[in-house]
Amino acid sequence: MAVRVDLNISLDGFATTTDQTPDNPFGEDWGRLVAAYVATRTFKERVFKDKSGAGTTGVDDKYARAYFENIGAEIMGAGMFGFNNHPDDPDWKGWWGDEPPFQCPVFVLTHRQMAPIEMLGGTTFHFISASPEEALAKAQAVAGGKDVRIGGGPTTVRAFLKAGLVDQLHVGIAPIILGSGIRLWDDLRGLELGYSVRSETAESGVVHLIYSR
Amino acid sequence: MAVRVDLNISLDGFATTTDQTPDNPFGEDWGRLVAAYVATRTFKERVFKDKSGAGTTGVDDKYARAYFENIGAEIMGAGMFGFNNHPDDPDWKGWWGDEPPFQCPVFVLTHRQMAPIEMLGGTTFHFISASPEEALAKAQAVAGGKDVRIGGGPTTVRAFLKAGLVDQLHVGIAPIILGSGIRLWDDLRGLELGYSVRSETAESGVVHLIYSR
């Protein structure tokens, strides 16, 4: 029942981007940040429901597959769910359509009091106001012995890292300089202590780095 | 006559450290930041004058060897030379002893007006107040057709990067989180445009990343 994190960050450490516009709600930079991940066969199958076998099958895809393996529950921040971008939409159900790729209970950390939303494909969104420890206990209670993923964004992930709750942190480092956004590594001096580290470079230029304990 | 940069940085992007004390003028963090580089056979030979053949000979050493190859002149900031740490020592000649590892003309960017200092082994320190473009012209004029290295520190390197003067940037990224210091990547959004990128991981855990054009 490991607690896991997987994030895409830029070489300068940003896990979010700042060039969103109404016409392009993710922004160009987000596309560049996650390009190698989105190009994988696994992402195309799991997120785009593309069963054609299209997509890359190299190192990036190995980590994309691992991303979805053995996850029994997920925790994410309100920003990742999209509440910050859609504060006034009472029917907002996240970015991922009717059949989100999670296929497990997802706990969204928010002060909003909302009933759970059951989606197609096994994903149910639960809305809770809780400390990292409390949220993790709730997630582990329904994870069926599988791992719990802290999905993001970086502020949520950092709170779990600082609390010492994360067993494995995988970052895909895109070799681009964004210059602004939310940094993953801020205020985490000495994080590496207590973890072993390994890294691997992908054909795309992305560096995959894994802290594990 | 390429213009090259080689730096060691932490995973959170810091190229300098902040835990120096009078008793430990480099600090523990500096030792951790450059550990893999200092462990190489090339560093031991070139900097420590250790001809015993001790030291690592893997990926880190490959980059250490490349660091010293085909350099005809070097440019460094006053901080890297040590003026900030030794402001009142009229006999200060840098950190590197009587026979520095550079073995070429070294241009130290400073407002101090000082005569050149000729060291053993081919290194001569010249002290100049100049823009990046002017300093580079001086260095290239004496480099004998070889490359010019912008040695550091990060503020000096960033000035040359921002001026578009650097042809190859190699960073050795140590998988540690320092939390403070001078960041290499600040204010360099879009640096990757116009460069190709490659990366390689070393046995030590260091990720070597190279921008080149």
Side-chain angles (χ1 to χ4, degrees):
Chain A
M1 291 189 63
V3 179
R4 293 162 40 191
V5 170
D6 292 79
L7 283 181
N8 293 289
I9 64 176
S10 65
L11 189 53
D12 50 346
F14 294 106
T16 66
T17 56
T18 57
D19 66 338
Q20 296 86 353
T21 64
D23 287 345
N24 191 351
F26 288 94
E28 304 260 332
D29 284 346
W30 183 254
R32 297 164 66 220
L33 189 62
V34 301
Y37 173 48
V38 171
T40 63
R41 176 185 292 186
T42 296
F43 186 93
K44 291 183 188 305
E45 285 181 358
R46 187 79 177 228
V47 183
F48 291 159
K49 322 298 179 200
D50 175 351
K51 308 295 186 191
S52 72
T56 66
T57 57
V59 171
D60 290 321
D61 192 55
K62 180 176 75 172
Y63 288 97
R65 283 200 310 276
Y67 180 88
F68 288 109
E69 278 170 3
N70 198 44
I71 295 291
E74 169 134 350
I75 297 168
M76 68 173 64
M80 179 170 167
F81 185 72
F83 278 143
N84 298 349
N85 296 71
H86 298 269
D88 303 318
D89 180 353
D91 296 321
W92 180 251
K93 297 177 182 176
W95 305 99
W96 302 277
D98 293 334
E99 189 179 342
F102 308 105
Q103 303 178 4
C104 66
V106 175
F107 293 87
V108 179
L109 299 173
T110 176
H111 295 296
R112 296 178 183 223
Q113 297 191 343
M114 289 173 55
I117 303 176
E118 191 173 340
M119 309 293 289
L120 297 176
T123 298
T124 301
F125 292 116
H126 301 270
F127 303 91
I128 63 172
S129 177
S131 70
E133 290 81 357
E134 292 166 348
L136 182 57
K138 285 180 190 287
Q140 286 177 324
V142 299
K146 294 184 176 179
D147 295 343
V148 172
R149 181 172 52 221
I150 315 303
T155 305
T156 299
V157 165
R158 205 182 312 119
F160 282 79
L161 287 169
K162 284 185 71 73
L165 298 174
V166 176
D167 299 307
Q168 181 179 298
L169 168 64
H170 160 245
V171 288
I173 306 174
I176 62 175
I177 313 289
L178 289 176
S180 61
I182 300 176
R183 295 183 196 273
L184 174 59
W185 303 124
D186 269 6
D187 202 21
L188 288 176
R189 177 181 167 80
L191 175 69
E192 69 277 7
L193 305 172
Y195 290 93
S196 61
V197 62
R198 65 182 196 279
S199 57
E200 184 174 13
T201 61
E203 302 82 351
S204 61
V206 167
V207 176
H208 294 274
L209 188 141
I210 303 98
Y211 281 141
S212 56
R213 66 180 182 193
Chain B
M1 290 189 64
V3 179
R4 293 162 41 191
V5 170
D6 292 78
L7 283 181
N8 293 289
I9 64 175
S10 65
L11 189 52
D12 49 346
F14 294 106
T16 67
T17 56
T18 57
D19 66 339
Q20 296 85 353
T21 63
D23 287 346
N24 191 353
F26 288 94
E28 304 260 333
D29 284 346
W30 184 256
R32 298 164 65 221
L33 188 62
V34 301
Y37 173 48
V38 171
T40 62
R41 177 185 293 185
T42 297
F43 186 93
K44 290 183 189 304
E45 286 180 359
R46 187 79 176 228
V47 183
F48 291 159
K49 323 297 181 201
D50 175 351
K51 308 294 186 190
S52 72
T56 65
T57 57
V59 171
D60 291 321
D61 193 55
K62 180 177 74 173
Y63 288 97
R65 282 200 312 276
Y67 179 89
F68 288 108
E69 278 170 4
N70 198 45
I71 295 293
E74 169 134 352
I75 298 168
M76 67 174 65
M80 179 169 167
F81 185 72
F83 277 144
N84 298 348
N85 296 72
H86 298 268
D88 303 319
D89 180 352
D91 296 322
W92 180 251
K93 297 177 182 176
W95 305 99
W96 302 276
D98 293 334
E99 189 178 343
F102 308 105
Q103 303 177 4
C104 66
V106 175
F107 294 87
V108 180
L109 299 173
T110 176
H111 295 295
R112 297 178 183 221
Q113 298 192 344
M114 290 174 54
I117 304 176
E118 191 172 341
M119 309 294 288
L120 297 176
T123 298
T124 300
F125 293 115
H126 301 270
F127 303 91
I128 63 172
S129 177
S131 69
E133 290 81 358
E134 292 165 347
L136 182 57
K138 286 180 189 286
Q140 286 177 324
V142 298
K146 294 184 176 179
D147 295 344
V148 172
R149 182 171 52 219
I150 315 303
T155 305
T156 298
V157 165
R158 205 181 313 120
F160 282 79
L161 287 169
K162 283 184 73 71
L165 299 174
V166 177
D167 299 307
Q168 181 178 301
L169 168 64
H170 160 245
V171 289
I173 305 174
I176 61 175
I177 313 290
L178 289 175
S180 61
I182 300 176
R183 297 182 197 272
L184 174 59
W185 303 124
D186 269 6
D187 203 20
L188 288 177
R189 176 181 168 80
L191 175 68
E192 70 277 6
L193 306 173
Y195 290 93
S196 61
V197 63
R198 65 182 197 278
S199 58
E200 183 174 11
T201 62
E203 302 82 351
S204 62
V206 168
V207 176
H208 294 274
L209 188 140
I210 303 97
Y211 281 140
S212 57
R213 66 180 181 193

